[in-house]
Amino acid sequence: MRRFALVALAACSATPHHTVPAPPPTTASSVAAQPPPDPEPPALRLPGDVKPERYKLELTIVPAEERAHGSVDIDAVVVRPTRIVWLNATNLGIAHAELGGKQARVIKGGEDYVGLTLDSELPAGPLAIDIAFDAGIDHGKSRGIYAEHEGSETYAYSFFEPIDARRAFPCFDEPSYKVPWQLTFHVKKDHVALANAPVVRETDEPDGMKRVETAETKPLPSYLVAFVVGPFDVIDDGVAGRASTPIRFIVPKGRAGELAWAKDVTPRVVAALEDYFAMDYPYGKLDVAVVPRYWGTMEHPGIVAMGQPLTLIRPEQATRRRKEHYANILAHELSHYWFGDYVTMAWWDDTWLNEALGEWSDLNITDAVEPSWHSRDSRVEIALMAMSADEALSTKPIRRSAETREAIAASFDNDITYYKGSSVLRMFEAYIGRDSWREFIRGYMHAHAWGNASAEQWLGELSAAIGAKASGFRSFLDQPGVPKIDVSCSPGKLAIHQQRALPAGVIDPSAHVWNVPVCMRYGDDKTAHIDCVQLDKADGELAVGRCPTWILPNADANGYYRSSIDPKVAAALLDPKSAIAKVAKPTAAEKLMLIADLRAMVARDEMSIDRLLSLAPLIANDPDPKVARWGRQAAGMHGTGLDDPLYAAANAYYVKAFGPLARSLGWHRARTDSDDRHDLRSSYLTMVARYDDRLGAEGEKLADRWIADRTGIEDDLVATALSVAAYRGDRARFDRYLAAAHNARDRTEQQRILSALGSFKDPKTALAALELVRGKDFDLRDTVGIMFGMLYTRETRDLGLAFVTQHIDELLGRMRADEAAGFLGAIAGAFCDPDRRAAVGDLVASRAAHIDGAQSAVARGLEQSDQCIAQVARDLPAIRRFLAK
Ligand SMILES: [Zn+2]
């Protein structure tokens, strides 16, 4: 699964609690001795005394209806004699249940369980479990079995990770119960029903229905079972790779014309994965099921779910960015076919074994599919997002225990599980060498084929394959934080020191030492060297001849660590004309890391912010556009934390300093522009055009034209133009946007227009936009961007905050738990001044306690807000000084 922040969705729990029938009453005369009282359901995990070996699942699904009906027959084994078989079940109605062919009594088990008993002990040995049930079809949240409208049709999908399979059918809903499943559907005759394994038989049934039987799957945990039902179009895409895997696309009616890119690149992704793992694609067929939103994108074996905004690309929208995004997310999901599906983590404390590995792999595969994109360069930005989260004391390690529902939800932590996890993997991959690493990965896959694995098994095999060089991995897996590496020279040696990197004033009460591969480049005005040291103590050293005049402490930016650098040397390395830069030849990745290291030095109060600000124009004009993009980050002055006059002065400075660059780029791509140079437009136009009359007016004209006829501007600048024009726009433009949202050609387009409504700054117009979030015309999942637009825009942030404060419970009630958690975390970290921080703290803290995954997200958001406030206080004098110049 690929998560990303701020995509809140909605889920209202209007669903009743268990509709399990009450046990039959026992009368005083029936028995002399009462049977023992029913035991309590398990707290979190199933007891393990009964295990499934194979499922047969039948489901009747009509997408427009409120409930699905079904039966599940489980071949199970009683491992230890027991009186009760506990299964996971949430909001299911149980009509009938049998154990070993005898009618069982059904015991209510709270939110997560149902118990079945014959009121006598079940002996060890095989046991047939047969249950007839009904399950809700969710029409407001993408969880369990869910349905969505497209035009006049309704389609059904499934999404179960991590623990929502239990909303669709009773099962052993834990990842270590990995067994074959045979699914059969009863659906309308003109509907398609597809699932993980191929359809083997379709037969007509009365009342306009048909029976669709699929083959038995490879062993799957419950969270990977998946299906779609509805009047889809199914588009054939031939076969791919060494196993000649048949590929098809499953799209809502009439959307086949938007598949050109997906049809082109999907077979290449399959082939690249087979090459990396040196094995055939493991699941026989690949259906790409196009689900309504980015949310819902998921690695279901044989029927990968990919969101409409990723997959469906109209010919005029086929920009590099759209193409790379689809390829990269597909590579992520299909990487999970190995990391997650073929080898599954044993429990949710090792979610990283799925997600860090999937995230690590997706860039490699994208790079193999299209080397000209240099997709691996984005590894630096990924590492930096992780480091910034990892500098909060509330942040947990990559591997963490998961003994509560909160912890299971929190284990899908974008910044840590995905970004830090993949960055640490990349650091060791670079240290060990990509070839040796690939051999280890192949061996690990082979050792756990079709089974489960744990961190200990991973670590054991890593050290067996790689030896001592692997010894540091655990130190990054099990402790939080980022090491900071300081290098200093005394004659004959470089002294290297590590400690935890933390912003000024933040003290970690526990000591951390990492076993970290430090790779450095260093030299003088004639020579350049590279050396690595495995630093397993606080201090270490590297023998050198003379003291170098320059050091890049993070060679090729592969290390997951911060470094302190002499700002003068850093400035020389960032200046392509300097003598040092001509010898050192820092790569784009090294320059990005250098800029981020300077910013982190400012946060640690080791350097004044104006020194970094003064480098920003140099960076913005770097001949490599990948570096130039970072001028904007170097120029950041914590906008939300400044007072009004200073904020205005900062914007005036941006127009003056970066306006010439933005104007020279303009709104239209030049024929000679590379993709990377074109990408600079979204950075610098966003920075300047709201406040620059010429660029602003041009953006307005382009946005108005696009709203009128969807032409006139490159697809990847539409969002920028819409938001600039909204910021500068009036009520009449708002009304035009709103009409366009109502008449949008598809949901992706509608969501894009709706998000721009969050940039109108006139208070009355802003309030009208916010009312759409509560209204019934649009789905909350598509309007939540309005709210964040308001919160992040200075002129409307208090309106946004007042709106959220007033309606927070109603909004949370409409969101799925993980979306609500992300929403609260984003609000917690939205502000950088004490008053709003206090207001937000009151709002989110109490609510987080009741939403799975929200406590961790809120704790980090509030802590980062506090860090920001402290930093603004430190930086203000230097920012004043800088802007006064
Ligand atoms: Zn994933």
Side-chain angles (χ1 to χ4, degrees), residues 1-3 161 299 332-333 336 354-355 358-359 418:
M1 166 166 54
R2 182 71 170 252
R3 302 229 163 179
E161 192 181 34
E299 64 262 27
H332 180 93
E333 302 309 337
H336 277 309
N354 280 13
E355 295 301 350
E359 185 79 15
Y418 292 67

Side-chain angles (χ1 to χ4, degrees), residues 391 484-486 501-504 553 562-571 593-609 611-612 615 871 874-875:
E391 286 170 341
K484 176 175 79 109
I485 304 294
D486 290 295
L502 286 170
R562 303 279 200 196
S563 335
S564 293
I565 321 138
D566 179 341
K568 270 200 226 106
V569 173
M593 189 59 90
L594 204 54
I595 295 162
D597 273 332
L598 291 174
R599 186 154 277 290
M601 285 173 67
V602 173
R604 293 195 300 269
D605 215 8
E606 294 171 7
M607 182 180 111
S608 165
I609 191 170
R611 293 191 79 161
L612 176 60
L615 286 173
Q871 190 170 354
R874 277 196 304 276
D875 290 348

